[in-house]
Amino acid sequence: VYVDDCYGVDSWTAPKYVVDVGAQIGSFARRVHDTHPEARIVCVEPNPDNHEVLRHNVCGLAEVAHEAIAYERGQLVSTVYPGTDNTGGSWITRDPPVGSRVHRIERVTLAAIVERAKFPWVDVLKLDCEGCELGVLENEAHFIREWVNRIVMEIHNRDALRPIWQAHYRDWTVRELRGGHMPLVEWVNVRQRPRPSARNIVQDAMAREAALR
């Protein structure tokens, strides 16, 4: 992420507001800061196993939210697969595998993260959250279309993502950044920056978040 610039950070033009969902230990945020030091960054990372290293790596250059962007009802936990200590593959679930290490987590919506940060728009939304990108893109589609200029993400399920793209994002431009069984892609909003109605969209999204509690 940092050395190879797999998300294409070098190609961006002066991003001001960046949200890093699935920040893990902060490699992406650090690359963004080192390339675009004027950018404000919020890192979202629910797994406590990553928090100490994340805070160390982004101290003074990014805000950190120790929460999960999630929309399922019920108690959620962060876990890694049994038999591994690789916290880069941690994921959110209501039904963790038997024998896995779990942490209870707090949930939040993307709209709430942006509202708390007081971002007037989001230049880049990075999603690397082990399948949770589907919930973000589906549940926050209206908000994302109004507020987000660019999405870079790792895809974990092409078949599940395709109908979401067709329903909400067909007019966005798409570029593949990396191939393979979990490709990286870039979606760019042709409209760029939010329209004046965006503040009402944030309020609506936060009302939906309150209804989940």
Side-chain angles (χ1 to χ4, degrees), residues 98-171:
V98 175
S100 60
R101 185 173 68 257
V102 300
H103 302 284
R104 292 171 66 92
I105 58 169
E106 299 295 328
R107 80 179 78 224
V108 69
T109 64
L110 175 62
I113 289 290
V114 174
E115 174 75 3
R116 285 192 326 218
K118 305 300 181 186
F119 284 0
W121 66 84
V122 177
D123 287 300
V124 181
L125 169 63
K126 174 259 197 179
L127 299 172
D128 183 2
C129 41
E130 306 305 310
C132 292
E133 68 276 2
L134 299 174
V136 178
L137 294 169
E138 177 70 34
N139 288 278
E140 302 270 18
H142 188 40
F143 173 81
I144 289 171
R145 288 181 59 83
E146 294 290 336
W147 274 63
V148 176
N149 289 341
R150 183 191 310 268
I151 300 170
V152 290
M153 63 179 162
E154 184 175 76
I155 297 177
H156 297 83
N157 189 329
R158 281 185 183 270
D159 292 338
L161 180 63
R162 188 171 295 110
I164 297 174
W165 177 80
Q166 291 174 337
H168 304 293
Y169 304 97
R170 292 188 66 178
D171 57 338

